[in-house]
């Protein structure tokens, strides 16, 4: 049974998973340790549909993954993990911003803001500050 793997075998599996994907999420770390069988089943599916170049290359799959994660309102760190892989594959900040902006007509401002906040944090960008009195984000400026 796969849950009978040693801690060293589980660690080696997790390390390879990270090398193959370029990132790690909390659920990867926890399932490898506590339900190795489930993690390997999940990973087999993802290796086929996500990691393996088939008709779509990995960069295209990353962009689609980011779009889907934003639409699904995923956690910021998960979105940013895929942004990092996309950047590693040659995607620019501008391309990712355009992808995030594409969420607007599909899902509206609330969902767009999830992706936009992830993009801003990931690329450490800032904007201009108004020079007039304003009300900002629920608190006086």
């Amino acid at each position: 049974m796969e849950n009978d793997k040693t801690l060293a075998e589980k660690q080696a599996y997790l390390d390879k998973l990270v090398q193959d994907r370029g990132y790690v999420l909390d659920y990867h770390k926890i399932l490898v340790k506590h339900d190795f069988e489930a993690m390997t089943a999940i990973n087999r599916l993802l290796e086929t549909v996500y990691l393996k170049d088939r008709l779509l290359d990995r960069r295209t799959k990353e962009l689609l993954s980011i779009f889907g994660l934003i639409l699904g309102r995923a956690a910021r760190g998960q979105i940013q993990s895929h942004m990092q892989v996309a950047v590693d594959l040659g995607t620019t900040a501008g391309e990712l911003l355009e992808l995030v902006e594409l969420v607007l007509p599909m899902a509206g401002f609330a969902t767009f803001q999830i992706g936009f906040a992830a993009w801003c944090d990931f690329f450490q960008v800032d904007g201009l500050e108004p020079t007039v009195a304003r009300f900002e984000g629920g608190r006086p400026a």
Side-chain angles (χ1 to χ4, degrees):
M1 176 180 222
E2 291 187 24
N3 278 328
D4 292 336
K5 297 286 186 190
T6 67
L7 192 56
E9 290 171 317
K10 290 176 180 182
Q11 185 67 55
Y13 184 86
L14 178 65
D15 291 345
K16 179 161 181 1
L17 183 147
V18 173
Q19 289 173 334
D20 290 347
R21 292 179 187 211
Y23 64 90
V24 67
L25 299 172
D26 286 342
Y27 90 86
H28 301 142
K29 297 184 280 187
I30 293 166
L31 284 180
V32 164
K33 183 175 182 182
H34 296 283
D35 196 347
F36 190 79
E37 185 176 6
M39 187 65 239
T40 56
I42 291 166
N43 199 45
R44 280 191 299 274
L45 171 66
L46 292 177
E47 283 176 344
T48 300
V49 300
Y50 167 65
L51 293 173
K52 183 178 175 186
D53 281 352
R54 294 168 59 207
L55 298 177
L56 298 175
D57 64 13
R58 178 79 186 272
R59 181 178 180 274
T60 302
K61 289 179 182 183
E62 284 304 329
L63 296 175
L64 291 168
S65 295
I66 294 164
F67 189 78
L69 288 167
I70 295 168
L71 288 177
R73 297 176 173 224
R76 187 177 298 184
Q78 187 174 11
I79 295 167
Q80 291 173 330
S81 293
H82 287 273
M83 286 181 172
Q84 181 63 60
V85 175
V87 166
D88 291 346
L89 294 170
T91 304
T92 66
E95 289 172 318
L96 285 173
L97 178 57
E98 188 172 330
L99 179 139
V100 169
E101 293 166 343
L102 186 58
V103 170
L104 266 168
M106 307 297 172
F109 274 97
T111 304
F112 158 77
Q113 288 174 331
I114 292 167
F116 187 70
W119 181 85
C120 288
D121 286 351
F122 183 80
F123 287 104
Q124 299 292 298
V125 299
D126 61 0
L128 295 176
E129 291 295 328
T131 59
V132 297
R134 72 224 182 249
F135 187 79
E136 185 173 321
R139 60 180 193 266

